[in-house]
Amino acid sequence: MGTTPTHVADLAAAMDRALTLAARGPAHGPNPRVGCVLLAPQRPGDVARRVIGEGWHRGAGTDHAEVAALADARERGNDPRAATAVVTLEPCDHTGRTGPCARALLDAAVAEVVYALDDPGQASGGGAQTLRAHGVLVSGGLRAAASLDLVRAWRHALRAARPYVTLKLATTLDGRVAAPDGTSRWITGPAARAHAHAVRATVDAIAVTTGTALADDPALTARTPDGALAGHQPLRVVVGHRDLPPGARLHGPGGQVVRLRTHDAATVLAALHEREVRHLLVEGGPALATALLAAGVVDEVHAYLAPVLLGAGPSAVAPFGVTTLSGAPRWRTVSVQRLGDDALLVARAEPTEPVDPTEPAHVSEPAHPTDPAHTTGKEH
Amino acid sequence: MGTTPTHVADLAAAMDRALTLAARGPAHGPNPRVGCVLLAPQRPGDVARRVIGEGWHRGAGTDHAEVAALADARERGNDPRAATAVVTLEPCDHTGRTGPCARALLDAAVAEVVYALDDPGQASGGGAQTLRAHGVLVSGGLRAAASLDLVRAWRHALRAARPYVTLKLATTLDGRVAAPDGTSRWITGPAARAHAHAVRATVDAIAVTTGTALADDPALTARTPDGALAGHQPLRVVVGHRDLPPGARLHGPGGQVVRLRTHDAATVLAALHEREVRHLLVEGGPALATALLAAGVVDEVHAYLAPVLLGAGPSAVAPFGVTTLSGAPRWRTVSVQRLGDDALLVARAEPTEPVDPTEPAHVSEPAHPTDPAHTTGKEH
């Protein structure tokens, strides 16, 4: 199969479609968002390659994107043999709750697989190698950055064996989270609060300290702008030793409440990793933020800033051991936006392995057959 | 003269041109930025009214915009009689360093004056009344908000009899201006610092405390991105009792250094008002910011925020008496922008007299002649 300019344009269009499909999946949950488009083999005279099947992953326990796309092709009466599978993540190569996607693609006799992002899972990775070993043309890297945007927390959690940690700060311009008398409602305005609720609906868990739970009595629910509970409710994690009063709003409708009677950041993250939490949103208080900062595990910062000055009152962050400016953690700004009268700055830690967004797909020759990789372990 | 739709469109176009001209004047200095366009009388068959003269104010001691426009018309051989003067600010009505503009317009026998914003000066205002008293058709309010953007500090200073105060904060996301060991270079990045230098070039004075002058040894110059001194250098105001060392950078090239050996905000502002400072930029330290906040005289906040957390170190603002959130000063956000990795939030105090940006020009009938207003006092 030739890699003609038309072919490359077809692949790029198919990958964009696969990314769109992937985004329909849930941002939360133990599995990544993946989309797949199957292209019919190139025939002489075709202006563009025909899409014969599409699929995306709808959450743990449902079909992976490749399997969904193959099923879609068959339902439409299309033959996937010799097709090109365009998929936003390297096909997995292990049996978890469902079978390995690499095997499903081999069984369907596709000729080529083009994927965006490598699968980082120690258990689930290696699909590309297995496919190549069976003579399939495999290439990766096309739209890798866009795919990473869809699976950042999942990918980070699998690589680091802990949840991706987003620290939310909602402060005055001088970094205060409350006035000296403890009043804190509301520092930020309705647009910022609505945005924060939308973020809650995308994460697996929200954590606060018992101090915050007792002081603010938060519900920690994800709500839509009209006040209704969002369809997905993250776990509500309360960190610390004190008990919550029986009437606490945390006992009301919302996600499951998880009590972690510790102040140790590593213990908190290990317990949540065990529960397959990929993305943890930390909303306070300062003690928890500080413990995570001291441990160097804050992967993303969402700073909501209101045009208010207090001059006194608790800071968003307590001392965590920084003595000089060059020793302070600094994140890379992703976006700055206005939300009503407030600003939101989103910043991330340096990626440990940068993804080059400009890298074109490199269509490799099939490798010489070798032993297929065998993997075990949990499904990604 | 009929107020036909064509006429209104001509006036709007002329006012936009006058605003463009006004913006060529200096943002700093004791006088406002004003532009003026002279339109020939409407003749039968004209598609649009012809511009016969243009002018703008170039700074204290030079012609006011109306006089400049009349001179321009005469240089071009155009007769200003029966013309319409479209001007961004109500013509002044007093004799200062130059003669009153209302008189110049009457001497030129213009038929109509359309202005954007009322002149708030107790001495200089009243031009509209004088013109009407002499039978000139006068209207105000067209593009008033755009004119206000050009003269905000000047107008506020004349109304409040003190400089317009902009407080600059350059902090971490937790409101720190330095680490515990005092290191503070650089919290914000080069784009934010370049922006701050551009702001310096638009103000009349920059103030810091002796504490900041001794700790940071700032030059307080306005510099262009290539490091050269900008054409305008604001006064460099040092507030406090301690002496500066002979080698301080404040003794180097730049604006005049003004020492104010006080810690009282009102005294500082009165001394600068006396020097015709309209716009004061306060760059630190926390003690001066705090004194101004306590006095309730911070008219605008420029918060540069870097994606860094320190957890300790001096705050941008020290306690200034706020105990509860509802008692905290809150500004109205004007803009939020990204500058490199940093965010800039600009916010202003509520205007004491809102200007309706949608108000159309109301073309009034000439009033019955009355005694012309007589005014004295300093030129605006």
Side-chain angles (χ1 to χ4, degrees), chain A residues 173-176 179-181 183-187 293 303 305 307-311 315 317-320 322-325 328-334 336-338 341 343 345, chain B residues 173-176 179-181 183-187 303 305 307-311 315 317-320 322-325 328-334 336-338 341 343 345:
Chain A
L173 294 178
D174 57 336
R176 311 285 175 185
D181 70 352
T183 48
S184 63
R185 285 186 183 160
W186 294 104
I187 287 176
L293 288 165
L305 297 144
V308 180
L309 290 172
L310 276 164
S315 289
V317 178
F320 58 97
V322 175
T323 56
T324 194
L325 183 57
R330 187 179 280 270
W331 292 263
R332 295 172 64 212
T333 296
V334 174
V336 171
Q337 65 181 297
R338 179 175 177 171
D341 256 13
L345 185 152
Chain B
L173 294 177
D174 57 337
R176 312 284 175 186
D181 70 352
T183 48
S184 63
R185 286 188 182 160
W186 294 105
I187 287 176
L305 297 144
V308 179
L309 290 172
L310 276 163
S315 289
V317 178
F320 58 96
V322 175
T323 57
T324 194
L325 183 58
R330 187 180 281 271
W331 293 263
R332 295 172 65 213
T333 296
V334 174
V336 171
Q337 65 181 298
R338 178 174 178 172
D341 257 12
L345 186 151

Coordinates of all heavy atoms in Angstrom, one line a residue, chain A residues 173-176 179-181 183-187 293 303 305 307-311 315 317-320 322-325 328-334 336-338 341 343 345, chain B residues 173-176 179-181 183-187 303 305 307-311 315 317-320 322-325 328-334 336-338 341 343 345:
Chain A
L173 N -6.6 38.2 44.9 CA -5.3 38.5 44.2 C -4.1 38.4 45.2 O -3.0 38.4 44.7 CB -5.4 39.9 43.6 CG -6.4 40.0 42.5 CD1 -6.4 41.4 41.9 CD2 -6.1 39.0 41.3
D174 N -4.4 38.4 46.5 CA -3.2 38.3 47.4 C -3.2 36.9 48.0 O -2.6 36.7 49.1 CB -3.2 39.4 48.4 CG -4.4 39.6 49.3 OD1 -5.5 39.1 48.8 OD2 -4.3 40.1 50.4
G175 N -3.9 35.9 47.3 CA -3.7 34.5 47.7 C -4.4 34.0 48.9 O -4.1 33.0 49.5
R176 N -5.4 34.8 49.3 CA -6.2 34.4 50.5 C -7.4 33.5 50.1 O -8.0 33.8 49.1 CB -6.7 35.6 51.3 CG -5.7 36.7 51.5 CD -4.7 36.3 52.6 NE -3.7 37.3 52.8 CZ -2.6 37.2 53.6 NH1 -2.5 36.1 54.4 NH2 -1.7 38.1 53.7
A179 N -11.4 35.4 54.8 CA -11.1 36.6 55.6 C -10.6 36.1 57.0 O -10.8 35.0 57.3 CB -12.3 37.5 55.6
P180 N -10.1 37.0 57.8 CA -9.7 36.7 59.1 C -10.8 36.0 60.0 O -10.6 35.1 60.8 CB -9.2 38.0 59.7 CG -8.7 38.8 58.6 CD -9.7 38.4 57.5
D181 N -12.1 36.4 59.7 CA -13.2 35.8 60.5 C -13.7 34.5 59.9 O -14.7 34.0 60.4 CB -14.3 36.8 60.7 CG -15.1 37.1 59.3 OD1 -14.6 36.6 58.3 OD2 -16.1 37.7 59.4
T183 N -14.9 34.0 56.9 CA -15.9 34.1 55.7 C -15.1 33.9 54.4 O -14.0 34.4 54.2 CB -16.5 35.5 55.7 OG1 -15.6 36.5 55.9 CG2 -17.5 35.6 56.9
S184 N -15.7 33.1 53.6 CA -15.1 32.8 52.3 C -16.1 32.7 51.1 O -15.8 32.3 50.0 CB -14.3 31.5 52.4 OG -15.2 30.4 52.7
R185 N -17.4 32.9 51.5 CA -18.4 32.8 50.4 C -19.0 34.1 50.1 O -19.5 34.8 50.9 CB -19.6 31.9 50.9 CG -19.1 30.4 50.8 CD -20.2 29.5 51.1 NE -19.7 28.1 51.1 CZ -20.2 27.1 51.7 NH1 -21.4 27.2 52.3 NH2 -19.7 25.9 51.6
W186 N -18.8 34.5 48.8 CA -18.0 33.8 47.8 C -16.9 34.7 47.4 O -17.1 35.9 47.1 CB -18.8 33.4 46.6 CG -19.9 32.4 46.9 CD1 -21.2 32.7 47.0 CD2 -19.7 31.0 47.1 NE1 -21.9 31.5 47.2 CE2 -20.9 30.5 47.3 CE3 -18.6 30.2 47.1 CZ2 -21.1 29.1 47.5 CZ3 -18.7 28.9 47.4 CH2 -20.0 28.3 47.6
I187 N -15.7 34.2 47.4 CA -14.6 35.0 46.8 C -14.7 35.1 45.3 O -14.7 36.2 44.7 CB -13.2 34.4 47.3 CG1 -13.0 34.6 48.8 CG2 -12.1 34.9 46.4 CD1 -11.8 34.0 49.3
L293 N 2.2 19.5 47.7 CA 3.3 20.3 47.2 C 4.6 19.9 47.7 O 5.6 19.8 47.0 CB 3.0 21.8 47.5 CG 1.9 22.4 46.7 CD1 1.5 23.8 47.3 CD2 2.3 22.6 45.2
A303 N -5.9 27.9 39.1 CA -6.0 29.0 40.0 C -7.1 30.0 39.5 O -7.0 30.6 38.5 CB -4.6 29.7 40.0
L305 N -8.9 33.3 40.3 CA -8.4 34.5 41.0 C -9.5 35.6 40.9 O -9.9 36.0 39.8 CB -7.1 35.0 40.4 CG -6.0 34.0 40.6 CD1 -5.1 34.0 39.4 CD2 -5.2 34.3 41.8
P307 N -10.9 39.6 41.8 CA -10.3 40.9 41.9 C -10.7 41.5 43.3 O -11.3 42.6 43.4 CB -11.0 41.7 40.8 CG -12.3 41.0 40.6 CD -12.1 39.6 40.9
V308 N -10.1 40.9 44.3 CA -10.4 41.3 45.7 C -9.0 41.2 46.4 O -8.2 40.4 46.1 CB -11.3 40.3 46.4 CG1 -11.6 40.6 47.8 CG2 -12.6 40.2 45.6
L309 N -8.9 42.1 47.4 CA -7.7 42.0 48.3 C -8.2 41.9 49.7 O -9.1 42.7 50.1 CB -6.7 43.2 48.0 CG -6.0 43.2 46.7 CD1 -5.3 44.6 46.5 CD2 -5.0 42.1 46.6
L310 N -7.5 41.1 50.5 CA -7.9 40.9 51.9 C -6.8 41.4 52.8 O -7.1 42.0 53.9 CB -8.3 39.5 52.2 CG -9.7 39.1 51.8 CD1 -9.9 37.6 51.8 CD2 -10.7 39.7 52.9
G311 N -5.6 41.2 52.5 CA -4.5 41.6 53.3 C -4.2 40.7 54.5 O -3.2 40.8 55.2
S315 N -3.9 31.7 53.9 CA -3.4 31.6 52.5 C -3.9 30.2 51.9 O -4.2 29.3 52.6 CB -1.9 31.6 52.5 OG -1.5 32.9 52.8
V317 N -2.1 28.2 50.5 CA -1.0 27.2 50.7 C -0.2 27.6 51.9 O 0.2 28.8 52.0 CB -0.1 27.2 49.4 CG1 1.1 26.3 49.6 CG2 -0.9 26.9 48.2
A318 N 0.1 26.7 52.8 CA 0.9 26.9 53.9 C 2.4 26.6 53.6 O 2.6 26.1 52.5 CB 0.5 26.0 55.1
P319 N 3.3 27.0 54.4 CA 4.7 26.8 54.1 C 4.9 25.3 53.8 O 4.4 24.4 54.5 CB 5.4 27.2 55.4 CG 4.5 28.2 56.0 CD 3.2 27.7 55.7
F320 N 5.7 25.0 52.7 CA 6.0 23.6 52.4 C 7.5 23.4 52.1 O 7.8 22.5 51.4 CB 5.1 23.1 51.2 CG 5.2 23.9 50.0 CD1 6.1 23.5 48.9 CD2 4.5 25.0 49.7 CE1 6.2 24.2 47.7 CE2 4.6 25.7 48.5 CZ 5.4 25.3 47.5
V322 N 9.8 25.7 50.9 CA 10.6 26.5 50.0 C 11.2 27.7 50.7 O 10.5 28.4 51.4 CB 9.7 27.0 48.8 CG1 10.4 28.0 47.9 CG2 9.1 25.9 48.1
T323 N 12.5 27.9 50.5 CA 13.2 29.0 51.1 C 13.6 30.1 50.1 O 13.8 31.2 50.5 CB 14.4 28.6 51.9 OG1 15.2 27.8 51.1 CG2 13.9 27.7 53.1
T324 N 13.9 29.7 48.9 CA 14.4 30.6 47.9 C 13.6 30.4 46.6 O 13.1 29.4 46.3 CB 15.9 30.4 47.7 OG1 16.4 31.5 47.0 CG2 16.2 29.1 46.9
L325 N 13.5 31.5 45.8 CA 12.7 31.5 44.6 C 13.0 30.4 43.7 O 12.1 29.7 43.1 CB 12.7 32.9 43.9 CG 11.8 33.0 42.7 CD1 10.4 32.8 43.1 CD2 12.0 34.4 42.1
A328 N 11.3 27.1 44.2 CA 9.8 27.0 44.2 C 9.3 26.2 43.0 O 9.9 26.3 41.9 CB 9.2 28.4 44.2
P329 N 8.2 25.5 43.2 CA 7.7 24.8 42.0 C 7.1 25.8 41.1 O 6.4 26.7 41.5 CB 6.6 23.9 42.6 CG 6.2 24.5 43.9 CD 7.5 25.2 44.4
R330 N 7.3 25.6 39.8 CA 6.8 26.4 38.7 C 6.2 25.6 37.7 O 6.8 24.6 37.3 CB 8.0 27.3 38.1 CG 7.6 28.3 37.2 CD 8.8 29.1 36.6 NE 9.3 30.1 37.6 CZ 8.9 31.4 37.6 NH1 8.0 31.8 36.7 NH2 9.4 32.3 38.4
W331 N 5.0 25.9 37.3 CA 4.3 25.1 36.3 C 4.3 25.8 35.0 O 4.6 27.0 34.9 CB 2.8 24.8 36.8 CG 2.7 23.9 38.0 CD1 2.5 22.6 37.9 CD2 2.9 24.3 39.3 NE1 2.5 22.1 39.2 CE2 2.8 23.1 40.1 CE3 3.2 25.5 40.0 CZ2 2.9 23.1 41.5 CZ3 3.3 25.5 41.4 CH2 3.1 24.3 42.1
R332 N 3.9 25.1 33.9 CA 3.9 25.7 32.6 C 2.4 26.1 32.3 O 1.5 25.2 32.3 CB 4.4 24.8 31.5 CG 5.9 24.5 31.7 CD 6.3 23.4 30.7 NE 6.2 23.8 29.4 CZ 5.9 23.0 28.3 NH1 5.6 21.7 28.6 NH2 5.8 23.4 27.1
T333 N 2.2 27.3 32.0 CA 0.8 27.8 31.8 C 0.3 27.2 30.5 O 0.9 27.2 29.4 CB 0.8 29.3 31.7 OG1 1.2 29.8 33.0 CG2 -0.6 29.9 31.4
V334 N -0.9 26.7 30.6 CA -1.6 26.1 29.5 C -2.6 27.1 28.9 O -2.8 27.3 27.7 CB -2.4 24.8 29.9 CG1 -3.2 24.3 28.8 CG2 -1.4 23.8 30.4
V336 N -5.0 30.9 30.0 CA -5.5 32.0 30.9 C -6.8 32.5 30.3 O -6.9 32.8 29.1 CB -4.5 33.2 30.9 CG1 -5.1 34.4 31.7 CG2 -3.2 32.7 31.6
Q337 N -7.8 32.5 31.1 CA -9.1 32.9 30.6 C -9.9 33.8 31.7 O -9.6 33.7 32.9 CB -10.0 31.8 30.2 CG -10.4 30.8 31.3 CD -11.3 29.7 30.8 OE1 -12.3 29.8 30.2 NE2 -10.7 28.4 30.9
R338 N -10.8 34.6 31.2 CA -11.6 35.3 32.1 C -12.9 34.6 32.3 O -13.5 34.1 31.3 CB -11.9 36.7 31.4 CG -12.8 37.6 32.2 CD -13.0 38.9 31.6 NE -13.9 39.8 32.3 CZ -14.1 41.0 32.1 NH1 -13.4 41.7 31.2 NH2 -15.0 41.7 32.9
D341 N -15.9 38.2 36.5 CA -14.9 39.1 37.0 C -13.6 38.4 37.4 O -12.7 39.1 37.8 CB -15.5 39.9 38.1 CG -15.9 41.3 37.7 OD1 -15.9 41.6 36.5 OD2 -16.1 42.1 38.7
A343 N -10.3 35.5 37.0 CA -9.4 34.9 36.0 C -9.2 33.4 36.4 O -9.2 33.1 37.6 CB -8.1 35.6 36.0
L345 N -6.2 30.6 35.6 CA -5.0 30.2 35.0 C -4.8 28.7 35.3 O -4.9 28.2 36.4 CB -3.8 31.0 35.7 CG -2.4 30.8 35.1 CD1 -1.5 32.0 35.4 CD2 -1.7 29.6 35.7
Chain B
L173 N 1.0 32.6 42.5 CA -0.4 32.3 42.6 C -0.9 32.4 44.1 O -2.1 32.4 44.3 CB -0.7 31.0 42.0 CG -0.5 30.9 40.5 CD1 -0.8 29.5 40.0 CD2 -1.4 31.9 39.8
D174 N 0.0 32.3 45.0 CA -0.4 32.4 46.4 C 0.0 33.8 47.0 O 0.1 33.9 48.2 CB 0.1 31.3 47.3 CG 1.6 31.1 47.3 OD1 2.3 31.5 46.3 OD2 2.2 30.5 48.2
G175 N 0.1 34.8 46.1 CA 0.2 36.2 46.6 C 1.5 36.6 47.2 O 1.5 37.6 47.9
R176 N 2.6 35.9 46.9 CA 3.9 36.2 47.5 C 4.7 37.1 46.5 O 4.6 36.9 45.3 CB 4.7 35.0 47.8 CG 3.9 33.9 48.6 CD 3.8 34.2 50.0 NE 3.0 33.2 50.7 CZ 2.6 33.3 52.0 NH1 2.9 34.4 52.7 NH2 1.8 32.4 52.5
A179 N 10.5 35.1 48.1 CA 10.7 33.9 48.9 C 11.1 34.3 50.3 O 11.5 35.5 50.6 CB 11.7 33.0 48.3
P180 N 11.1 33.4 51.3 CA 11.5 33.7 52.6 C 12.9 34.3 52.7 O 13.2 35.1 53.6 CB 11.4 32.3 53.4 CG 10.4 31.6 52.7 CD 10.5 32.0 51.2
D181 N 13.8 33.9 51.8 CA 15.2 34.5 51.9 C 15.2 35.8 51.1 O 16.3 36.4 51.0 CB 16.2 33.5 51.3 CG 16.1 33.3 49.8 OD1 15.1 33.8 49.2 OD2 16.9 32.7 49.2
T183 N 14.6 36.5 48.0 CA 14.8 36.4 46.5 C 13.4 36.7 45.8 O 12.4 36.1 46.2 CB 15.3 35.1 46.0 OG1 14.6 34.0 46.7 CG2 16.8 34.9 46.4
S184 N 13.5 37.5 44.8 CA 12.2 37.9 44.1 C 12.5 38.0 42.6 O 11.5 38.4 41.8 CB 11.7 39.2 44.6 OG 12.6 40.2 44.4
R185 N 13.7 37.8 42.1 CA 14.0 38.0 40.7 C 14.2 36.6 40.0 O 15.1 36.0 40.4 CB 15.2 38.9 40.4 CG 14.8 40.3 40.7 CD 15.9 41.3 40.4 NE 15.4 42.6 40.7 CZ 16.2 43.7 40.9 NH1 17.5 43.5 40.8 NH2 15.7 44.8 41.2
W186 N 13.4 36.3 39.1 CA 12.2 37.0 38.7 C 11.0 36.1 39.0 O 11.0 34.9 38.6 CB 12.2 37.4 37.2 CG 13.2 38.4 36.9 CD1 14.4 38.2 36.3 CD2 13.2 39.8 37.3 NE1 15.1 39.4 36.2 CE2 14.4 40.4 36.8 CE3 12.2 40.6 37.9 CZ2 14.7 41.8 36.9 CZ3 12.6 42.0 38.0 CH2 13.7 42.5 37.6
I187 N 10.0 36.6 39.6 CA 8.7 35.8 39.8 C 8.0 35.8 38.4 O 7.6 34.7 38.0 CB 7.9 36.4 40.9 CG1 8.5 36.1 42.3 CG2 6.5 35.9 40.8 CD1 7.8 36.8 43.4
A303 N -2.7 43.1 38.3 CA -2.1 41.9 39.0 C -1.5 41.0 38.0 O -2.2 40.4 37.2 CB -3.3 41.2 39.8
L305 N 0.4 37.6 37.6 CA 0.4 36.4 38.4 C 1.2 35.3 37.7 O 0.9 35.0 36.5 CB -1.0 35.9 38.6 CG -1.9 36.9 39.4 CD1 -3.3 37.0 38.9 CD2 -1.8 36.6 40.9
P307 N 2.8 31.4 37.4 CA 2.4 30.0 37.8 C 3.4 29.3 38.8 O 4.0 28.3 38.5 CB 2.3 29.3 36.5 CG 3.3 30.0 35.6 CD 3.3 31.4 36.1
V308 N 3.6 30.0 39.9 CA 4.6 29.5 40.9 C 3.8 29.6 42.3 O 2.9 30.4 42.5 CB 5.7 30.5 41.0 CG1 6.8 30.1 42.0 CG2 6.4 30.7 39.6
L309 N 4.2 28.7 43.2 CA 3.7 28.7 44.6 C 4.9 28.7 45.5 O 5.9 28.0 45.3 CB 2.8 27.5 44.9 CG 1.5 27.5 44.1 CD1 0.8 26.2 44.4 CD2 0.6 28.6 44.6
L310 N 4.8 29.6 46.5 CA 5.9 29.7 47.5 C 5.6 29.1 48.8 O 6.4 28.6 49.5 CB 6.4 31.1 47.6 CG 7.4 31.5 46.5 CD1 7.6 33.0 46.4 CD2 8.8 30.9 46.8
G311 N 4.3 29.4 49.3 CA 3.9 28.9 50.6 C 4.4 29.7 51.7 O 3.9 29.6 52.9
S315 N 3.9 38.8 51.6 CA 2.7 38.9 50.8 C 2.7 40.3 50.1 O 3.4 41.2 50.6 CB 1.4 38.9 51.6 OG 1.2 37.5 52.0
V317 N 0.4 42.3 50.0 CA -0.4 43.3 50.8 C -0.3 42.9 52.2 O -0.6 41.7 52.5 CB -1.8 43.4 50.2 CG1 -2.6 44.3 51.1 CG2 -1.8 43.7 48.8
A318 N 0.0 43.8 53.1 CA -0.1 43.5 54.5 C -1.5 43.8 55.0 O -2.3 44.4 54.3 CB 0.9 44.4 55.3
P319 N -1.8 43.4 56.3 CA -3.2 43.6 56.8 C -3.5 45.1 56.7 O -2.7 46.0 57.1 CB -3.1 43.1 58.2 CG -2.0 42.1 58.2 CD -1.0 42.6 57.2
F320 N -4.7 45.4 56.2 CA -5.1 46.8 56.2 C -6.5 47.0 56.8 O -7.2 47.9 56.5 CB -5.0 47.4 54.8 CG -5.9 46.6 53.7 CD1 -7.1 47.1 53.4 CD2 -5.4 45.5 53.1 CE1 -7.9 46.4 52.4 CE2 -6.1 44.8 52.1 CZ -7.4 45.3 51.8
V322 N -9.2 44.7 57.0 CA -10.4 43.9 56.6 C -10.5 42.7 57.6 O -9.5 42.0 57.8 CB -10.2 43.5 55.2 CG1 -11.4 42.5 54.8 CG2 -10.1 44.7 54.2
T323 N -11.7 42.5 58.1 CA -11.9 41.3 58.9 C -12.8 40.3 58.4 O -12.8 39.2 58.7 CB -12.4 41.8 60.3 OG1 -13.6 42.5 60.1 CG2 -11.4 42.6 61.0
T324 N -13.7 40.8 57.5 CA -14.7 39.9 56.9 C -14.8 40.1 55.4 O -14.4 41.2 54.9 CB -16.1 40.1 57.6 OG1 -16.9 39.0 57.2 CG2 -16.7 41.4 57.1
L325 N -15.2 39.0 54.7 CA -15.1 39.1 53.2 C -15.9 40.3 52.6 O -15.5 40.9 51.7 CB -15.5 37.8 52.6 CG -15.4 37.6 51.1 CD1 -14.0 37.9 50.6 CD2 -15.9 36.3 50.6
A328 N -14.1 43.5 52.2 CA -12.9 43.6 51.4 C -13.1 44.5 50.2 O -14.2 44.4 49.6 CB -12.4 42.2 51.0
P329 N -12.2 45.2 49.7 CA -12.3 46.0 48.5 C -12.4 45.0 47.3 O -11.6 44.0 47.3 CB -11.1 46.9 48.4 CG -10.1 46.2 49.3 CD -10.8 45.5 50.3
R330 N -13.3 45.2 46.4 CA -13.4 44.4 45.2 C -13.5 45.4 44.0 O -14.2 46.3 44.0 CB -14.7 43.6 45.3 CG -15.0 42.6 44.2 CD -16.3 41.8 44.5 NE -16.2 40.8 45.5 CZ -15.9 39.5 45.2 NH1 -15.5 39.1 44.0 NH2 -15.8 38.6 46.2
W331 N -12.7 45.0 43.0 CA -12.7 45.9 41.8 C -13.4 45.2 40.7 O -13.8 44.0 40.8 CB -11.2 46.1 41.4 CG -10.5 47.0 42.4 CD1 -10.3 48.3 42.3 CD2 -9.8 46.6 43.6 NE1 -9.6 48.8 43.4 CE2 -9.3 47.7 44.2 CE3 -9.7 45.4 44.3 CZ2 -8.6 47.7 45.4 CZ3 -9.0 45.4 45.5 CH2 -8.5 46.5 46.1
R332 N -13.7 45.9 39.6 CA -14.4 45.3 38.5 C -13.4 45.0 37.4 O -12.6 45.9 37.0 CB -15.4 46.3 37.9 CG -16.6 46.6 38.9 CD -17.4 47.7 38.4 NE -18.1 47.4 37.2 CZ -18.4 48.2 36.2 NH1 -18.0 49.5 36.2 NH2 -19.0 47.8 35.1
T333 N -13.4 43.8 37.0 CA -12.4 43.3 36.0 C -12.6 44.0 34.7 O -13.7 44.0 34.2 CB -12.4 41.8 35.9 OG1 -12.0 41.3 37.2 CG2 -11.4 41.3 34.9
V334 N -11.5 44.5 34.1 CA -11.6 45.2 32.8 C -11.0 44.2 31.8 O -11.6 44.1 30.7 CB -10.7 46.4 32.8 CG1 -10.6 47.0 31.4 CG2 -11.3 47.4 33.8
V336 N -8.5 40.3 31.2 CA -7.6 39.2 31.7 C -6.9 38.8 30.5 O -7.4 38.5 29.4 CB -8.5 38.0 32.2 CG1 -7.6 36.8 32.5 CG2 -9.2 38.4 33.5
Q337 N -5.5 38.8 30.6 CA -4.8 38.3 29.4 C -3.6 37.5 29.8 O -3.1 37.6 31.0 CB -4.3 39.5 28.6 CG -3.3 40.5 29.3 CD -2.9 41.6 28.4 OE1 -2.3 41.5 27.4 NE2 -3.2 42.8 28.9
R338 N -3.1 36.7 28.9 CA -1.9 35.9 29.1 C -0.7 36.7 28.6 O -0.7 37.3 27.5 CB -2.1 34.6 28.4 CG -0.9 33.7 28.5 CD -1.1 32.4 27.9 NE 0.1 31.5 28.0 CZ 0.1 30.2 27.6 NH1 -1.0 29.7 27.2 NH2 1.3 29.6 27.7
D341 N 4.1 33.0 30.3 CA 3.5 32.0 31.3 C 2.7 32.7 32.4 O 2.1 32.0 33.2 CB 4.6 31.2 31.9 CG 4.7 29.8 31.3 OD1 4.1 29.6 30.3 OD2 5.4 29.0 31.9
A343 N -0.3 35.6 33.9 CA -1.6 36.2 33.7 C -1.5 37.7 34.1 O -0.8 38.0 35.1 CB -2.7 35.5 34.4
L345 N -4.4 40.5 35.2 CA -5.7 40.9 35.5 C -5.7 42.4 35.8 O -5.0 42.8 36.7 CB -6.3 40.1 36.6 CG -7.8 40.3 36.9 CD1 -8.4 39.0 37.6 CD2 -8.1 41.5 37.9

